[in-house]
Amino acid sequence: MHGATEVPLKEQIKTKANEIFDEVVELRRDIHRHPELAFEEKRTSQLAANYLRELGYEVTQGVAKTGVVADLKGGKATATSKTIAFRADMDALPMNEENSHNFCSTKPNVMHACGHDAHTAMMLGAAKILASLQAELPGSIKFIFQPSEECAPGGAKLMLESGLFADKIPDAIFGQHCMPQVPVGKIGFLSGAMMAAADELYINVFGKGGHASAPHRANDPILAAVQIVNSLQTIVSRNFPPHEPAVLTIAAINGGSATNIIPNEVKMKGTYRTMNEEWREIGHQRIEEIVHATAKAMGVRAEIEIRKGYPAVVNDKNMTEFAIDLSREYLGEANTITPEPMMAAEDFAYFLQACKGAYWMLGVGNEEKGIVHNIHSTHFDIDEEALRIGTGFVSYLAMNFLSK
């Protein structure tokens, strides 16, 4: 029509995100009320599957037990068109909620304290926006609703092993995580290593018990354990380059039963986190050497088990820059920030090993509203305005990626 102007894509997406905002909020609250632990996400996965089928997605359930995969082919897709994938995790944590809002967890000792309820709701919202634009889509969309992010070996690895990308590896994969340290309205992007590889340490020290008044007649495993803990700290401080991020923490020591008894055994648990696979392996070697050598020097024996956890989250440079440019368009320069790397771990890392992509931090914090508690806190919450932003930005990124 003469004189008519086409509405820019950004404004279209923002309008649609506003229109479904209340629906996305209610989805998040419904999932929050009914949290489910790793590989128990039956209600959540069924909710997602039903919602996506109604939108016209081809839905596969039962991937890695409770995972859901939804595919949508665009009306303008061809045999050579690109495919973009997005992931949301669904599981909750084994902890009690101590918030006071009217949609708190209804399950004792189960709580969405890491934002996975919001992750799932936002991806469902984005799925609805993109389904409404299906006729204009010049490629294909894949939404991955993953179980068990919180428990190693994690649902991402199992989904990939089950053949998630067997037919076609997506051209890119993206994901987002709620972050209270980032103010609502902002998104944080970091190229390269963003989150750490995380390994679990289990150390048992075996000595010879006896009366506490006669330590010379015993081989004290408590003293040896203390020396082991101190010596392990030299790995990061004296073996790693100063610019190489690493953390080694012994978080549990258990041994002994009374003031006058030297025990036979001490058990310790800890975590070792790195951003670099080479230094990860070097650290494993040094941990083994220090534990056994220190134990021998103290006249005791030690056993150690290192359970390898998730690898580091390493964002693709080009995909990160692409997302940053779009965030500047969608949210503005001031709301597109660079966060510090985190030593927390995330099994989205496995997807980034299988396919280039990027992971970002979605701001959900709001000091004025008291929304300041960190993830995995009994008081964790989000400013739900973030749902509008996350839903819209995912949709905007998808449309731009497929058309460029």
Side-chain angles (χ1 to χ4, degrees), residues 278-316:
E278 179 183 356
W279 283 101
R280 185 184 191 187
E281 295 303 321
I282 292 172
H284 288 180
Q285 180 181 339
R286 291 293 294 134
I287 290 168
E288 295 266 5
E289 291 170 349
I290 285 174
V291 167
H292 291 301
T294 306
K296 184 177 180 180
M298 298 296 295
V300 300
R301 179 176 63 86
E303 295 177 352
I304 178 165
E305 178 187 1
I306 300 175
R307 295 181 192 171
K308 291 189 72 171
Y310 304 155
V313 173
V314 182
N315 287 325
D316 179 82

Side-chain angles (χ1 to χ4, degrees), residues 21-84:
F21 174 64
D22 290 343
E23 183 178 342
V24 174
V25 168
E26 186 46 47
L27 281 168
R28 181 254 167 168
R29 293 183 178 187
D30 180 50
I31 296 168
H32 192 91
R33 288 186 192 100
H34 304 95
E36 296 168 302
L37 297 175
F39 293 121
E40 297 177 9
E41 311 94 339
K42 294 180 180 179
R43 183 186 185 277
T44 308
S45 63
Q46 192 61 56
L47 180 155
N50 292 345
Y51 190 88
L52 292 158
R53 282 197 181 97
E54 288 183 9
L55 295 174
Y57 283 78
E58 180 183 331
V59 177
T60 304
Q61 291 181 253
V63 184
K65 298 182 181 179
T66 50
V68 177
V69 180
D71 294 283
L72 186 72
K73 185 176 182 180
K76 294 183 178 180
T78 66
T80 58
S81 293
K82 292 189 290 187
T83 297
I84 186 171

Side-chain angles (χ1 to χ4, degrees), residues 119-355:
H119 301 169
T120 298
M122 285 185 285
M123 288 306 176
L124 291 174
K128 184 164 189 172
I129 291 174
L130 292 169
S132 73
L133 297 168
Q134 183 178 9
E136 302 301 317
L137 279 175
S140 298
I141 309 280
K142 182 184 288 290
F143 281 103
I144 301 162
F145 293 85
Q146 178 209 307
S148 185
E149 186 278 324
E150 298 290 356
C151 295
K157 189 171 187 285
L158 294 179
M159 291 187 89
L160 289 164
E161 289 174 349
S162 70
L164 177 66
F165 296 157
D167 294 337
K168 180 185 178 182
I169 297 175
D171 294 277
I173 187 165
F174 297 93
Q176 58 187 356
H177 199 296
C178 293
M179 192 51 56
Q181 288 80 13
V182 178
V184 67
K186 300 180 184 293
I187 301 181
F189 301 89
L190 190 65
S191 182
M194 182 180 198
M195 299 178 74
D199 303 316
E200 296 177 353
L201 309 178
Y202 298 88
I203 303 168
N204 291 346
V205 182
F206 303 96
K208 185 175 76 173
H211 200 287
S213 68
H216 60 292
R217 295 194 178 102
N219 292 328
D220 189 349
I222 290 181
L223 183 59
V226 171
Q227 296 291 344
I228 288 171
V229 171
N230 286 334
S231 297
L232 285 174
Q233 299 309 308
T234 66
I235 293 175
V236 174
S237 67
R238 288 297 177 265
N239 294 132
F240 272 53
H243 56 78
E244 190 65 52
V247 170
L248 196 161
T249 298
I250 299 300
I253 302 180
N254 296 287
S257 59
T259 61
N260 60 352
I261 301 172
I262 293 173
N264 291 315
E265 180 182 357
V266 173
K267 294 184 177 182
M268 299 187 285
K269 299 177 184 179
T271 184
Y272 171 62
R273 294 168 184 251
T274 53
M275 293 281 197
N276 177 301
E277 282 297 320
E278 179 183 356
W279 283 101
R280 185 184 191 187
E281 295 303 321
I282 292 172
H284 288 180
Q285 180 181 339
R286 291 293 294 134
I287 290 168
E288 295 266 5
E289 291 170 349
I290 285 174
V291 167
H292 291 301
T294 306
K296 184 177 180 180
M298 298 296 295
V300 300
R301 179 176 63 86
E303 295 177 352
I304 178 165
E305 178 187 1
I306 300 175
R307 295 181 192 171
K308 291 189 72 171
Y310 304 155
V313 173
V314 182
N315 287 325
D316 179 82
K317 181 177 183 290
N318 292 333
M319 291 298 102
T320 304
E321 290 177 354
F322 177 77
I324 288 171
D325 288 343
L326 289 176
S327 177
R328 286 170 176 161
E329 290 177 13
Y330 193 77
L331 293 175
E333 183 85 31
N335 292 322
T336 304
I337 65 172
T338 303
E340 293 181 353
M342 294 178 61
M343 299 309 288
E346 236 290 349
D347 73 346
F348 189 76
Y350 289 115
F351 290 124
L352 291 174
Q353 289 184 340
C355 171

